[in-house]
Amino acid sequence: MRQWITKSKKNKRYYPGGSPGSEQETQFQIALIKKFKPQKILSVHSPLNFFDYDGPSSDLNSFEEWMEYVCKEIPHPLKKFGYYPGSLGNFAGHERNIFTLTLELPSSNPKCSMNISRNSIIPFKIY
């Protein structure tokens, strides 16, 4: 909550919720994860404009090599952004060891993000 107050100046768009897992979209994602028990998650978010990975480190070298190739082809950078206590990356990737990749789009405007999202998601059908 302190980060929301100091960094985002209480911007409602970035409100983290009253407690961990309290936001409706977070509760929905938790219910989906519990029901379907995925081995991998591809999440789409905005507006940071890069790929972010959270999860187990087994076979991480081959994944990073593949992602470097994909990022050059698209182009869309891969960054190790880290995770926050209430994030999907923390819940799924770190706490449950589920391979979690977040595609951060450059904007939440669909017209600006359509091409990057389409081109960025296609390679994951292969992996």
Side-chain angles (χ1 to χ4, degrees):
M1 190 65 80
R2 278 182 265 147
Q3 283 187 329
W4 175 67
I5 293 168
T6 58
K7 286 189 174 184
S8 73
K9 309 290 187 226
K10 295 186 179 183
N11 182 332
K12 291 180 183 180
R13 182 183 183 328
Y14 302 110
Y15 180 66
S19 62
S22 63
E23 295 295 284
Q24 289 180 353
E25 63 270 21
T26 303
Q27 292 173 2
F28 177 70
Q29 289 176 333
I30 290 170
L32 288 175
I33 290 167
K34 287 180 178 179
K35 181 175 181 175
F36 295 105
K37 298 173 181 40
Q39 295 177 347
K40 297 177 183 173
I41 296 172
L42 175 60
S43 171
V44 180
H45 198 263
S46 67
L48 300 176
N49 199 32
F50 57 78
F51 285 110
D52 179 35
Y53 170 74
D54 295 293
S57 59
S58 63
D59 203 26
L60 187 57
N61 288 339
S62 64
F63 169 73
E64 284 183 339
E65 288 173 12
W66 180 76
M67 278 303 303
E68 286 174 10
Y69 169 78
V70 168
C71 291
K72 287 177 187 172
E73 293 293 312
I74 292 174
H76 199 76
L78 172 65
K79 293 186 179 181
K80 295 182 181 178
F81 189 62
Y83 59 93
Y84 291 87
S87 70
L88 177 64
N90 185 51
F91 176 80
H94 289 279
E95 293 178 2
R96 285 159 184 77
N97 274 337
I98 300 170
F99 181 100
T100 306
L101 185 69
T102 301
L103 166 58
E104 285 281 353
L105 299 173
S107 168
S108 57
N109 181 335
K111 291 181 182 178
C112 296
S113 299
M114 187 54 76
N115 285 337
I116 189 76
S117 61
R118 184 181 305 119
N119 294 336
S120 300
I121 292 173
I122 289 170
F124 295 98
K125 292 179 181 179
I126 299 166
Y127 191 75

